[in-house]
Amino acid sequence: NPSDKEYDKQDCERKAFTRLAARLKQDFPRLPILILADGLYPYEGFFMTCKSNNWSYIVTFKEGNLPTIWEETRELQVYQTVTVSDILLQICHQNRSELALKEPCGAFL
């Protein structure tokens, strides 16, 4: 990043993800990948990249990001019987036993 100019950190990280994703797919086309991303990444381009590369993802997000999803998540919490730890353990066990997910999956934490 140029030190004499202002820059948008979020935009820089998103552009870096796009470059990294292309490189990973080129270098490891058959590798099953699970992306664990923070609150900067829940945007359309991220999801499209994961879907087109057949990658799974877990994304954290904070209140205010993706308001529709946040609202739906809050409403569904009353029905939650499985913890986040249970979900992560299930993903790990599934990856270990199958060595690859047959279909990409996504989760928000």
Side-chain angles (χ1 to χ4, degrees):
N1 296 321
S3 59
D4 60 337
K5 296 182 182 178
E6 286 190 37
Y7 68 97
D8 181 354
K9 180 181 181 203
Q10 184 170 344
D11 186 54
C12 291
E13 288 196 30
R14 287 178 175 181
K15 288 177 183 175
F17 170 73
T18 302
R19 291 190 307 271
L20 177 62
R23 181 83 187 261
L24 283 171
K25 192 62 176 177
Q26 177 185 346
D27 292 349
F28 306 100
R30 295 179 27 205
L31 182 68
I33 293 180
L34 171 71
I35 304 286
L36 178 58
D38 67 15
L40 291 176
Y41 293 90
Y43 71 102
E44 185 178 9
F46 171 81
F47 297 118
M48 289 174 51
T49 298
C50 290
K51 184 176 182 177
S52 68
N53 289 321
N54 204 29
W55 294 345
S56 300
Y57 55 85
I58 298 174
V59 179
T60 62
F61 69 107
K62 39 187 173 173
E63 191 169 358
N65 284 6
L66 304 171
T68 306
I69 292 176
W70 179 257
E71 186 177 314
E72 187 174 340
T73 301
R74 300 288 279 169
E75 291 174 6
L76 293 173
Q77 281 180 334
V78 296
Y79 302 107
Q80 183 177 5
T81 59
V82 178
T83 67
V84 171
S85 297
D86 294 335
I87 294 168
L88 293 175
L89 283 172
Q90 181 181 5
I91 291 170
C92 290
H93 290 302
Q94 183 178 2
N95 281 337
R96 243 187 235 147
S97 63
E98 296 178 10
L99 298 177
L101 293 172
K102 293 182 179 169
E103 293 184 23
C105 65
F108 291 96
L109 303 177

